[in-house]
Amino acid sequence: MTVSTSPAAAQPRGGRAPQKLTQLERWKLRGPLLPALVLTVVLTQIPMLVTVYYSFQSRNLLRPEESGFAGFANYGRVFGDEQFRGAVLNTVVLTASTVLLSIVLGIALAVLLDQKFLGRSVVRTLLITPFLVMPAAAALLWKHAMFNPLFGILNWALSPFGVERVDWASQYPMTSIVLMLTWQWTPFMMLIVLAGLQSQSPELLEAAKMDGAGPFKTFWFVTFPQLRQFIELAILLGSIFIVQTFDPIFLITQGGPGQATTNLPYFIYQRTFRAFEVGEAAAAGVIVVIATIVIANFALRVVSSLFREEERA
Amino acid sequence: MRIPHKPHLTRTPHRTRAVVAASVVTVMLASACSGAGGGGADGDTVTIATVANPQMEDIEQLTSVFEEEHPDINVEFVILPENELRDRVTQDIATGSGQYDIVTIGTYETPIWAENGWLTSLDDYASDPDYDVDDLMPPVREALTYEDNLYAVPFYAESSFLMYRTDLFEEAGVTMPERPTWQEVAELAEKLHDPDNDVAGICLRGLAGWGEVLAPLNTVVNTFGGRWYDENWNAQMTSPETMEAVQFYVDLVRDHGETGAANAGFSECLTATSQGNAAMWYDATVAASILEDPDSSDAAGLMGYVPAPVVETEHSGWLWAWSLAIPETSQNKDAAWEFMSWATSKEYIRLVGEELGWTRVPPGSRMSTYEIAEYQEAASAFAGPTLDAIENVDVRRPGLHEQPWVGVQYITIPEFQDLGTRVSQEVSAAIAGNQSVEEAMEKAQQYTEEIAESGGYRDQ
């Protein structure tokens, strides 16, 4: 991907004469960037600080007279809430299965698209389309056109196999959401993997052929190891986005039936806008942010290892 | 209550901008050459937050008439889907930011917000004889009153009734009783249920949400003699009567209801009924005006209407009214009332009838609406049953027991949105078949108990 080129390009400039700048010169260079830095810090950190503040307050918008410092009570309530633990589990299941399915399909489609055939660009455009549809529109499309038990396409397509009147969104709520998200995220995975496939050197493939490797062996022993970093990147970026899924859950199942599809974003939404429990929602938000930071740190480490290997190559 | 809606963006009429620009220029001129005299009235701008329902969209269209009569008042609309409206308006008022001069709220919010001191009492305004406050439907007026003060005026109101397809009834050789009981309805549903032809016996909401499945279900619970809390706020979700009612509802919708019931709300049932996929539908009275519209409904002219089915009580309809209120934070209360009183007046109802058609008149707010000959004729199929349904609601005691709150299909406590959502999710899961009614109601009992504790209702 294009991302990998920028650190390499920055290398020679930084290596020219870093220590010859005086303190003043350095600040002259940095000075013009300071307003942007301050603005970024203000815009990103103040909402976060306000959230942290509220997470220690007992505040319900609908009961204005009772608010005050709550200590860790909100955190206690959130962790003690069975629905919150259910939401964590649902988020993990939803994210893991969607990422797994879409990466597998993405690799398969990318390998197909890497071949030369007539109408390849048309096929590529069509395959990318699901990713370009607005999430809310896609959710409604799936709710009505695909999952509807009476006139949904899914039941119609499966009817020759004896499947009849399956009410997807209520009988298999999690499967339905995963199915819809996989449809939406496969193109994303496919694009990243495709970039990886197209960046491998033709010489290497030719050498493999010369050594007598068939297409399958070539893929497994030559292409796949090279693709590994691209796949890791796709999985990490995909996970970060899919954890935040809200639209299909809100529009297709309303987190239900029961709590079957309530994930963390939907849980926080409910605490904020159904219960107007500002404190509890803020606490849940802080917990999610901390968890995300941990995962993102891990993500960045893997991505930077990817950069390092690029530089070595 | 739940009308299929399309989201709208804030509309800033050109006139407003022109007026703002003009007043800015005026101020600049005035300060430049001091003593140039008052540069014309810059006018009050009234911002109204409202729900994206057809009736509310009509009012936006007709506001030019009001603005012509009141050149000094400009009206700006913020039209939002129901849930988003509730979120935004609650935040705005609770944080005191005072963005809106008029807010659209329901019968649920009005007493709670009045108690919080968020709303302006309308008694002085509404006592103006021209407004004729006594013409407002009594149950609606009662639901919008808190401690003998009126805090909101109804734009339109609804109850619930049973709608059925007369042609399908004839074909099946069955008749609908004039005042059906739920047992009779269940028998009829069994006879009319015809999955091979994609016709469900009855369409009932099953979608999670306090304003979705709980609205019809609560009326069933009331009429079975069940309740959420007793007089001392002890949760009654696992009492025999409540359990029986929920079990009845879940069985009925699972056995003879629409396919995909656990995800069907007002919109889904409206689609099913208007496309001929349901023989009966128990829901809001406003649904009738859409079902009777031949442009959007195959069932137009084929529908019959009877009161909400009962078991132990005389009546069992719910009550809801989208109403207009002035937040305490408004800076333009007088101008806001000018607009509100116009929008909820008899003249406005006539205006809608004459300009947009009589079936589009906002129903259920004023008794005089039902005396208009043109309306009686245009809405002959449903006007009478709607009026009856609304008049027969007792918001203080809809079930068999005394209740320490006012309201039929909801409990008037701030926590109910959250509690109702949680309970509705459990019921919805029972309708989907993912758990038994016992399991669902045991969890519901637990949530309900918790709220009684945490809200401090027991101490009162």
Side-chain angles (χ1 to χ4, degrees), chain A residues 61-64 81 83 143 149-150 165 167 169-170 252-255 257-259 262 266 269-271 273-276, chain B residues 87 90-91 94 116 118 195 198 207 259-260 262-263 268 414-415 417-418 421-422 425-426 428-429 432 434 447 455 457:
Chain A
L61 280 187
L62 296 171
R63 301 169 141 266
D81 191 341
Q83 290 197 9
K143 180 183 185 183
L150 279 186
R165 266 177 218 272
D167 182 7
S170 345
I252 300 179
T253 61
Q254 293 272 310
Q259 270 87 45
T262 302
Y266 192 74
Y269 163 80
Q270 279 199 337
R271 296 318 297 156
F273 292 119
R274 288 291 83 78
F276 291 101
Chain B
D87 301 348
T90 311
Q91 285 174 67
N116 284 345
W118 290 351
D198 287 339
L207 182 64
T259 3
N263 287 305
E268 286 76 12
E415 293 85 357
Q417 291 198 50
D418 181 38
T421 305
R422 287 188 175 213
Q425 285 186 321
E426 301 302 337
S428 185
N434 297 352
Y447 302 150
Y457 294 103

Short mmCIF file of all heavy atoms in Angstrom, two decimals, chain A residues 61-64 81 83 143 149-150 165 167 169-170 252-255 257-259 262 266 269-271 273-276, chain B residues 87 90-91 94 116 118 195 198 207 259-260 262-263 268 414-415 417-418 421-422 425-426 428-429 432 434 447 455 457:
data_model
loop_
_atom_site.label_atom_id
_atom_site.label_comp_id
_atom_site.label_asym_id
_atom_site.label_seq_id
_atom_site.Cartn_x
_atom_site.Cartn_y
_atom_site.Cartn_z
N LEU A 61 -30.01 13.33 33.03
CA LEU A 61 -30.57 14.55 32.46
C LEU A 61 -32.03 14.75 32.88
O LEU A 61 -32.50 15.86 32.98
CB LEU A 61 -30.50 14.49 30.94
CG LEU A 61 -29.18 14.84 30.28
CD1 LEU A 61 -29.36 14.90 28.80
CD2 LEU A 61 -28.66 16.17 30.80
N LEU A 62 -32.74 13.63 33.11
CA LEU A 62 -34.15 13.76 33.41
C LEU A 62 -34.43 14.05 34.88
O LEU A 62 -35.55 14.31 35.26
CB LEU A 62 -34.88 12.48 32.99
CG LEU A 62 -34.84 12.19 31.50
CD1 LEU A 62 -35.40 10.81 31.21
CD2 LEU A 62 -35.65 13.24 30.76
N ARG A 63 -33.38 13.93 35.71
CA ARG A 63 -33.56 14.26 37.13
C ARG A 63 -32.54 15.32 37.50
O ARG A 63 -31.54 15.04 38.14
CB ARG A 63 -33.34 13.00 37.98
CG ARG A 63 -34.28 11.90 37.60
CD ARG A 63 -33.87 10.59 38.26
NE ARG A 63 -35.06 9.89 38.67
CZ ARG A 63 -35.59 9.98 39.88
NH1 ARG A 63 -35.01 10.69 40.81
NH2 ARG A 63 -36.69 9.34 40.17
N PRO A 64 -32.83 16.55 37.09
CA PRO A 64 -31.81 17.59 37.19
C PRO A 64 -31.41 17.90 38.63
O PRO A 64 -30.31 18.36 38.87
CB PRO A 64 -32.47 18.81 36.55
CG PRO A 64 -33.92 18.51 36.52
CD PRO A 64 -34.07 17.03 36.50
N ASP A 81 -23.22 -4.47 35.42
CA ASP A 81 -24.39 -4.62 34.57
C ASP A 81 -24.22 -5.82 33.64
O ASP A 81 -23.29 -5.88 32.85
CB ASP A 81 -24.55 -3.34 33.73
CG ASP A 81 -25.89 -3.31 33.01
OD1 ASP A 81 -26.48 -4.38 32.85
OD2 ASP A 81 -26.29 -2.22 32.60
N GLN A 83 -25.93 -6.55 31.17
CA GLN A 83 -26.07 -6.15 29.76
C GLN A 83 -24.75 -5.62 29.21
O GLN A 83 -24.45 -5.81 28.04
CB GLN A 83 -27.14 -5.09 29.63
CG GLN A 83 -28.51 -5.65 29.87
CD GLN A 83 -29.59 -4.72 29.35
OE1 GLN A 83 -29.32 -3.74 28.68
NE2 GLN A 83 -30.82 -5.04 29.66
N LYS A 143 -32.20 -5.13 5.58
CA LYS A 143 -33.37 -5.42 6.41
C LYS A 143 -34.57 -5.77 5.54
O LYS A 143 -35.26 -6.75 5.78
CB LYS A 143 -33.69 -4.20 7.29
CG LYS A 143 -34.91 -4.44 8.16
CD LYS A 143 -35.29 -3.23 8.98
CE LYS A 143 -36.44 -3.61 9.91
NZ LYS A 143 -36.91 -2.49 10.70
N PRO A 149 -38.77 -11.98 5.78
CA PRO A 149 -39.19 -13.39 5.67
C PRO A 149 -40.18 -13.64 4.53
O PRO A 149 -40.23 -14.76 4.01
CB PRO A 149 -39.84 -13.68 7.02
CG PRO A 149 -40.14 -12.36 7.62
CD PRO A 149 -39.15 -11.38 7.07
N LEU A 150 -40.94 -12.62 4.14
CA LEU A 150 -41.93 -12.84 3.08
C LEU A 150 -41.36 -12.62 1.69
O LEU A 150 -41.49 -13.47 0.82
CB LEU A 150 -43.14 -11.92 3.29
CG LEU A 150 -44.18 -12.35 4.30
CD1 LEU A 150 -45.36 -11.41 4.27
CD2 LEU A 150 -44.65 -13.78 4.03
N ARG A 165 -39.38 -19.51 4.69
CA ARG A 165 -39.81 -18.52 5.67
C ARG A 165 -38.91 -18.41 6.87
O ARG A 165 -39.37 -18.40 8.02
CB ARG A 165 -41.20 -18.89 6.18
CG ARG A 165 -42.29 -18.22 5.41
CD ARG A 165 -43.60 -18.71 5.94
NE ARG A 165 -44.51 -18.84 4.82
CZ ARG A 165 -45.25 -17.85 4.39
NH1 ARG A 165 -45.19 -16.70 4.97
NH2 ARG A 165 -46.04 -18.01 3.37
N ASP A 167 -37.03 -16.33 9.34
CA ASP A 167 -37.05 -14.94 9.76
C ASP A 167 -35.65 -14.60 10.26
O ASP A 167 -35.34 -14.74 11.43
CB ASP A 167 -38.10 -14.76 10.86
CG ASP A 167 -38.20 -13.31 11.30
OD1 ASP A 167 -37.56 -12.46 10.66
OD2 ASP A 167 -38.90 -13.05 12.27
N ALA A 169 -33.65 -11.99 10.79
CA ALA A 169 -33.26 -11.02 11.82
C ALA A 169 -33.72 -11.43 13.22
O ALA A 169 -33.13 -11.00 14.20
CB ALA A 169 -33.80 -9.64 11.47
N SER A 170 -34.77 -12.26 13.34
CA SER A 170 -35.12 -12.68 14.70
C SER A 170 -34.58 -14.05 15.06
O SER A 170 -34.23 -14.29 16.19
CB SER A 170 -36.64 -12.73 14.92
OG SER A 170 -37.35 -12.07 13.97
N ILE A 252 -31.63 -2.66 12.02
CA ILE A 252 -32.18 -3.98 11.71
C ILE A 252 -32.77 -4.65 12.94
O ILE A 252 -33.89 -5.17 12.90
CB ILE A 252 -31.12 -4.89 11.05
CG1 ILE A 252 -30.63 -4.26 9.75
CG2 ILE A 252 -31.69 -6.28 10.77
CD1 ILE A 252 -29.57 -5.04 9.03
N THR A 253 -32.05 -4.66 14.05
CA THR A 253 -32.52 -5.46 15.18
C THR A 253 -32.79 -4.66 16.45
O THR A 253 -33.32 -5.21 17.41
CB THR A 253 -31.49 -6.53 15.55
OG1 THR A 253 -30.28 -5.87 15.92
CG2 THR A 253 -31.22 -7.47 14.41
N GLN A 254 -32.43 -3.40 16.50
CA GLN A 254 -32.57 -2.60 17.73
C GLN A 254 -31.88 -3.32 18.89
O GLN A 254 -32.38 -3.33 20.01
CB GLN A 254 -34.05 -2.39 18.07
CG GLN A 254 -34.80 -1.51 17.09
CD GLN A 254 -34.68 -0.04 17.45
OE1 GLN A 254 -34.91 0.38 18.56
NE2 GLN A 254 -34.30 0.75 16.47
N GLY A 255 -30.76 -3.95 18.61
CA GLY A 255 -30.01 -4.62 19.66
C GLY A 255 -30.59 -5.95 20.09
O GLY A 255 -30.03 -6.64 20.93
N PRO A 257 -33.23 -9.61 19.02
CA PRO A 257 -34.22 -9.80 20.10
C PRO A 257 -33.50 -10.05 21.43
O PRO A 257 -32.45 -10.70 21.43
CB PRO A 257 -34.98 -11.04 19.67
CG PRO A 257 -34.64 -11.26 18.25
CD PRO A 257 -33.32 -10.65 18.00
N GLY A 258 -34.12 -9.60 22.50
CA GLY A 258 -33.42 -9.63 23.77
C GLY A 258 -32.22 -8.73 23.68
O GLY A 258 -32.33 -7.60 23.24
N GLN A 259 -31.07 -9.24 24.08
CA GLN A 259 -29.84 -8.47 23.92
C GLN A 259 -28.91 -9.15 22.93
O GLN A 259 -27.71 -8.93 22.96
CB GLN A 259 -29.14 -8.32 25.27
CG GLN A 259 -29.54 -7.10 26.04
CD GLN A 259 -30.77 -7.36 26.89
OE1 GLN A 259 -30.86 -8.38 27.55
NE2 GLN A 259 -31.71 -6.44 26.87
N THR A 262 -26.89 -6.54 20.99
CA THR A 262 -26.47 -5.28 21.61
C THR A 262 -24.95 -5.27 21.74
O THR A 262 -24.40 -6.05 22.50
CB THR A 262 -27.11 -5.14 23.00
OG1 THR A 262 -28.52 -5.20 22.85
CG2 THR A 262 -26.73 -3.82 23.63
N TYR A 266 -24.00 0.37 20.74
CA TYR A 266 -25.44 0.42 20.94
C TYR A 266 -25.79 0.50 22.42
O TYR A 266 -26.72 1.18 22.81
CB TYR A 266 -26.13 -0.79 20.29
CG TYR A 266 -27.62 -0.63 20.20
CD1 TYR A 266 -28.17 0.24 19.27
CD2 TYR A 266 -28.47 -1.29 21.07
CE1 TYR A 266 -29.54 0.43 19.21
CE2 TYR A 266 -29.84 -1.11 21.02
CZ TYR A 266 -30.37 -0.25 20.08
OH TYR A 266 -31.72 -0.05 20.02
N TYR A 269 -25.23 4.02 23.44
CA TYR A 269 -26.33 4.81 22.89
C TYR A 269 -27.56 4.69 23.79
O TYR A 269 -28.21 5.68 24.12
CB TYR A 269 -26.65 4.35 21.47
CG TYR A 269 -28.00 4.80 20.96
CD1 TYR A 269 -28.17 6.09 20.47
CD2 TYR A 269 -29.09 3.95 20.97
CE1 TYR A 269 -29.40 6.52 20.01
CE2 TYR A 269 -30.33 4.37 20.52
CZ TYR A 269 -30.48 5.65 20.04
OH TYR A 269 -31.70 6.06 19.60
N GLN A 270 -27.86 3.47 24.21
CA GLN A 270 -29.05 3.26 25.05
C GLN A 270 -28.91 3.93 26.40
O GLN A 270 -29.86 4.53 26.91
CB GLN A 270 -29.30 1.78 25.24
CG GLN A 270 -30.02 1.17 24.07
CD GLN A 270 -30.67 -0.14 24.44
OE1 GLN A 270 -30.27 -0.80 25.39
NE2 GLN A 270 -31.66 -0.53 23.68
N ARG A 271 -27.72 3.83 27.00
CA ARG A 271 -27.53 4.49 28.30
C ARG A 271 -27.67 6.00 28.15
O ARG A 271 -28.15 6.67 29.04
CB ARG A 271 -26.15 4.18 28.91
CG ARG A 271 -25.86 2.74 29.26
CD ARG A 271 -26.98 2.00 29.91
NE ARG A 271 -27.39 2.51 31.20
CZ ARG A 271 -28.60 2.31 31.72
NH1 ARG A 271 -29.50 1.63 31.05
NH2 ARG A 271 -28.91 2.79 32.88
N PHE A 273 -29.22 7.86 25.49
CA PHE A 273 -30.42 8.48 24.92
C PHE A 273 -31.72 7.81 25.33
O PHE A 273 -32.78 8.37 25.08
CB PHE A 273 -30.30 8.53 23.40
CG PHE A 273 -29.23 9.48 22.96
CD1 PHE A 273 -28.15 9.03 22.23
CD2 PHE A 273 -29.30 10.82 23.30
CE1 PHE A 273 -27.16 9.90 21.84
CE2 PHE A 273 -28.32 11.70 22.90
CZ PHE A 273 -27.25 11.23 22.18
N ARG A 274 -31.69 6.62 25.90
CA ARG A 274 -32.93 6.07 26.44
C ARG A 274 -33.00 6.37 27.93
O ARG A 274 -34.02 6.75 28.44
CB ARG A 274 -33.02 4.57 26.19
CG ARG A 274 -33.28 4.15 24.76
CD ARG A 274 -34.66 4.50 24.24
NE ARG A 274 -34.75 5.89 23.77
CZ ARG A 274 -34.28 6.29 22.61
NH1 ARG A 274 -33.72 5.45 21.80
NH2 ARG A 274 -34.38 7.56 22.26
N ALA A 275 -31.88 6.18 28.62
CA ALA A 275 -31.90 6.39 30.06
C ALA A 275 -31.44 7.80 30.43
O ALA A 275 -31.68 8.24 31.53
CB ALA A 275 -30.99 5.36 30.73
N PHE A 276 -30.78 8.48 29.52
CA PHE A 276 -30.18 9.79 29.78
C PHE A 276 -29.27 9.77 31.00
O PHE A 276 -29.18 10.72 31.75
CB PHE A 276 -31.26 10.88 29.92
CG PHE A 276 -31.94 11.16 28.61
CD1 PHE A 276 -33.19 10.64 28.33
CD2 PHE A 276 -31.32 11.94 27.65
CE1 PHE A 276 -33.80 10.88 27.11
CE2 PHE A 276 -31.93 12.19 26.44
CZ PHE A 276 -33.16 11.66 26.17
N ASP B 87 -34.21 12.89 21.67
CA ASP B 87 -32.84 13.05 22.14
C ASP B 87 -32.43 14.51 22.17
O ASP B 87 -31.92 15.02 23.17
CB ASP B 87 -31.85 12.30 21.23
CG ASP B 87 -32.15 10.82 21.14
OD1 ASP B 87 -32.97 10.34 21.95
OD2 ASP B 87 -31.60 10.16 20.26
N THR B 90 -34.57 16.83 24.58
CA THR B 90 -34.25 16.57 25.99
C THR B 90 -32.91 17.19 26.35
O THR B 90 -32.78 17.86 27.38
CB THR B 90 -34.21 15.06 26.27
OG1 THR B 90 -35.39 14.48 25.74
CG2 THR B 90 -34.13 14.78 27.75
N GLN B 91 -31.91 16.98 25.49
CA GLN B 91 -30.60 17.56 25.77
C GLN B 91 -30.68 19.07 25.84
O GLN B 91 -30.12 19.70 26.72
CB GLN B 91 -29.62 17.19 24.67
CG GLN B 91 -29.14 15.77 24.72
CD GLN B 91 -28.28 15.48 23.52
OE1 GLN B 91 -27.20 16.02 23.38
NE2 GLN B 91 -28.77 14.66 22.62
N ALA B 94 -32.66 20.08 29.05
CA ALA B 94 -32.02 19.68 30.30
C ALA B 94 -30.74 20.47 30.53
O ALA B 94 -30.38 20.75 31.67
CB ALA B 94 -31.72 18.19 30.28
N ASN B 116 -40.09 18.98 36.37
CA ASN B 116 -38.72 19.47 36.43
C ASN B 116 -38.64 20.99 36.28
O ASN B 116 -37.55 21.55 36.32
CB ASN B 116 -37.89 18.83 35.31
CG ASN B 116 -37.52 17.40 35.63
OD1 ASN B 116 -37.63 16.97 36.77
ND2 ASN B 116 -37.07 16.67 34.63
N TRP B 118 -39.30 22.60 33.50
CA TRP B 118 -38.72 22.89 32.19
C TRP B 118 -39.71 23.59 31.26
O TRP B 118 -39.32 24.12 30.23
CB TRP B 118 -38.26 21.59 31.51
CG TRP B 118 -37.08 20.96 32.16
CD1 TRP B 118 -36.28 21.49 33.13
CD2 TRP B 118 -36.53 19.67 31.87
NE1 TRP B 118 -35.29 20.61 33.47
CE2 TRP B 118 -35.42 19.50 32.71
CE3 TRP B 118 -36.87 18.66 30.98
CZ2 TRP B 118 -34.65 18.33 32.69
CZ3 TRP B 118 -36.11 17.50 30.95
CH2 TRP B 118 -35.01 17.34 31.80
N PRO B 195 -51.29 -18.64 5.96
CA PRO B 195 -49.90 -18.39 5.55
C PRO B 195 -49.63 -18.76 4.09
O PRO B 195 -48.74 -18.17 3.47
CB PRO B 195 -49.08 -19.27 6.51
CG PRO B 195 -50.03 -20.17 7.17
CD PRO B 195 -51.40 -19.61 7.06
N ASP B 198 -50.06 -15.82 2.28
CA ASP B 198 -49.37 -14.70 2.90
C ASP B 198 -50.31 -13.74 3.62
O ASP B 198 -50.10 -12.52 3.60
CB ASP B 198 -48.55 -13.92 1.87
CG ASP B 198 -47.32 -14.70 1.45
OD1 ASP B 198 -46.91 -15.59 2.21
OD2 ASP B 198 -46.78 -14.43 0.36
N LEU B 207 -41.56 -5.45 17.74
CA LEU B 207 -40.24 -4.82 17.73
C LEU B 207 -39.91 -4.23 19.10
O LEU B 207 -40.74 -3.59 19.72
CB LEU B 207 -40.24 -3.71 16.67
CG LEU B 207 -38.94 -2.93 16.44
CD1 LEU B 207 -37.85 -3.83 15.91
CD2 LEU B 207 -39.16 -1.78 15.49
N THR B 259 -45.31 -12.86 9.85
CA THR B 259 -43.96 -13.44 9.87
C THR B 259 -42.98 -12.31 10.18
O THR B 259 -43.17 -11.18 9.75
CB THR B 259 -43.59 -14.06 8.52
OG1 THR B 259 -44.65 -13.81 7.61
CG2 THR B 259 -43.33 -15.52 8.62
N GLY B 260 -41.93 -12.65 10.91
CA GLY B 260 -40.96 -11.63 11.27
C GLY B 260 -41.49 -10.69 12.34
O GLY B 260 -41.10 -9.53 12.40
N ALA B 262 -40.99 -10.33 15.48
CA ALA B 262 -40.08 -9.74 16.47
C ALA B 262 -39.40 -8.49 15.94
O ALA B 262 -38.84 -7.71 16.71
CB ALA B 262 -39.03 -10.76 16.88
N ASN B 263 -39.45 -8.27 14.63
CA ASN B 263 -38.86 -7.05 14.09
C ASN B 263 -39.91 -6.16 13.43
O ASN B 263 -39.57 -5.31 12.61
CB ASN B 263 -37.76 -7.38 13.10
CG ASN B 263 -36.53 -7.89 13.81
OD1 ASN B 263 -36.00 -7.24 14.69
ND2 ASN B 263 -36.10 -9.09 13.45
N GLU B 268 -43.93 -1.61 9.87
CA GLU B 268 -44.00 -2.92 9.24
C GLU B 268 -45.45 -3.40 9.19
O GLU B 268 -45.88 -3.99 8.19
CB GLU B 268 -43.12 -3.91 9.98
CG GLU B 268 -41.61 -3.73 9.75
CD GLU B 268 -41.02 -2.55 10.49
OE1 GLU B 268 -41.71 -1.99 11.37
OE2 GLU B 268 -39.88 -2.17 10.18
N PRO B 414 -39.39 9.31 34.80
CA PRO B 414 -38.29 9.54 33.85
C PRO B 414 -37.59 8.26 33.44
O PRO B 414 -37.07 8.14 32.33
CB PRO B 414 -37.34 10.47 34.61
CG PRO B 414 -38.06 10.96 35.79
CD PRO B 414 -39.25 10.09 36.03
N GLU B 415 -37.57 7.28 34.35
CA GLU B 415 -36.81 6.05 34.06
C GLU B 415 -37.53 5.15 33.08
O GLU B 415 -36.98 4.14 32.65
CB GLU B 415 -36.59 5.26 35.37
CG GLU B 415 -35.69 5.93 36.37
CD GLU B 415 -36.43 6.91 37.24
OE1 GLU B 415 -37.65 7.12 37.03
OE2 GLU B 415 -35.80 7.50 38.14
N GLN B 417 -38.38 5.30 29.93
CA GLN B 417 -37.81 5.09 28.59
C GLN B 417 -36.80 3.95 28.62
O GLN B 417 -36.76 3.11 27.74
CB GLN B 417 -37.11 6.35 28.10
CG GLN B 417 -38.04 7.48 27.79
CD GLN B 417 -37.35 8.50 26.92
OE1 GLN B 417 -36.74 8.18 25.91
NE2 GLN B 417 -37.43 9.74 27.33
N ASP B 418 -35.97 3.98 29.66
CA ASP B 418 -34.93 2.96 29.78
C ASP B 418 -35.53 1.63 30.22
O ASP B 418 -35.28 0.59 29.61
CB ASP B 418 -33.90 3.44 30.81
CG ASP B 418 -32.77 2.47 30.98
OD1 ASP B 418 -32.35 1.87 29.98
OD2 ASP B 418 -32.31 2.29 32.12
N THR B 421 -37.57 0.13 27.45
CA THR B 421 -36.72 -0.42 26.40
C THR B 421 -36.19 -1.79 26.79
O THR B 421 -36.23 -2.74 26.02
CB THR B 421 -35.57 0.54 26.10
OG1 THR B 421 -36.12 1.81 25.80
CG2 THR B 421 -34.74 0.06 24.93
N ARG B 422 -35.73 -1.89 28.04
CA ARG B 422 -35.18 -3.18 28.50
C ARG B 422 -36.25 -4.27 28.51
O ARG B 422 -36.04 -5.37 28.03
CB ARG B 422 -34.58 -3.03 29.90
CG ARG B 422 -33.29 -2.26 29.87
CD ARG B 422 -32.63 -2.31 31.23
NE ARG B 422 -31.32 -1.66 31.16
CZ ARG B 422 -30.27 -2.04 31.87
NH1 ARG B 422 -30.35 -3.03 32.71
NH2 ARG B 422 -29.11 -1.43 31.75
N GLN B 425 -37.22 -5.38 25.09
CA GLN B 425 -36.23 -6.28 24.46
C GLN B 425 -36.47 -7.72 24.89
O GLN B 425 -36.35 -8.64 24.08
CB GLN B 425 -34.82 -5.86 24.84
CG GLN B 425 -34.37 -4.60 24.08
CD GLN B 425 -32.91 -4.27 24.33
OE1 GLN B 425 -32.41 -4.42 25.44
NE2 GLN B 425 -32.23 -3.82 23.31
N GLU B 426 -36.79 -7.91 26.17
CA GLU B 426 -37.04 -9.26 26.65
C GLU B 426 -38.31 -9.84 26.01
O GLU B 426 -38.33 -11.00 25.59
CB GLU B 426 -37.19 -9.28 28.18
CG GLU B 426 -35.97 -8.76 28.95
CD GLU B 426 -34.70 -9.53 28.63
OE1 GLU B 426 -34.79 -10.69 28.18
OE2 GLU B 426 -33.61 -8.96 28.83
N SER B 428 -39.61 -8.95 23.18
CA SER B 428 -39.31 -9.17 21.77
C SER B 428 -38.57 -10.50 21.58
O SER B 428 -38.82 -11.23 20.61
CB SER B 428 -38.49 -8.00 21.26
OG SER B 428 -38.29 -8.10 19.89
N ALA B 429 -37.67 -10.79 22.52
CA ALA B 429 -36.94 -12.07 22.42
C ALA B 429 -37.88 -13.25 22.63
O ALA B 429 -37.70 -14.31 22.03
CB ALA B 429 -35.81 -12.10 23.45
N ALA B 432 -39.62 -13.72 19.43
CA ALA B 432 -38.73 -14.37 18.46
C ALA B 432 -38.53 -15.85 18.79
O ALA B 432 -38.00 -16.60 17.98
CB ALA B 432 -37.38 -13.66 18.44
N ASN B 434 -36.67 -16.92 21.33
CA ASN B 434 -35.35 -17.15 21.91
C ASN B 434 -35.40 -17.43 23.41
O ASN B 434 -34.42 -17.84 24.00
CB ASN B 434 -34.44 -15.95 21.67
CG ASN B 434 -34.20 -15.72 20.20
OD1 ASN B 434 -34.59 -16.55 19.37
ND2 ASN B 434 -33.60 -14.61 19.86
N TYR B 447 -35.75 -5.85 36.48
CA TYR B 447 -35.49 -4.47 36.04
C TYR B 447 -36.46 -3.53 36.73
O TYR B 447 -36.11 -2.44 37.17
CB TYR B 447 -35.66 -4.31 34.53
CG TYR B 447 -34.81 -5.20 33.67
CD1 TYR B 447 -35.26 -5.63 32.42
CD2 TYR B 447 -33.54 -5.59 34.08
CE1 TYR B 447 -34.47 -6.45 31.62
CE2 TYR B 447 -32.75 -6.41 33.28
CZ TYR B 447 -33.23 -6.84 32.05
OH TYR B 447 -32.47 -7.64 31.25
N GLY B 455 -35.03 4.72 41.76
CA GLY B 455 -35.75 5.97 41.58
C GLY B 455 -36.35 6.48 42.88
O GLY B 455 -36.88 7.60 42.92
N TYR B 457 -39.00 5.48 44.50
CA TYR B 457 -40.46 5.64 44.49
C TYR B 457 -41.11 5.03 45.72
O TYR B 457 -42.16 5.45 46.16
CB TYR B 457 -41.05 5.03 43.22
CG TYR B 457 -40.60 5.80 42.01
CD1 TYR B 457 -39.62 5.30 41.18
CD2 TYR B 457 -41.12 7.06 41.75
CE1 TYR B 457 -39.17 6.04 40.11
CE2 TYR B 457 -40.67 7.80 40.69
CZ TYR B 457 -39.69 7.28 39.87
OH TYR B 457 -39.24 8.02 38.84
#
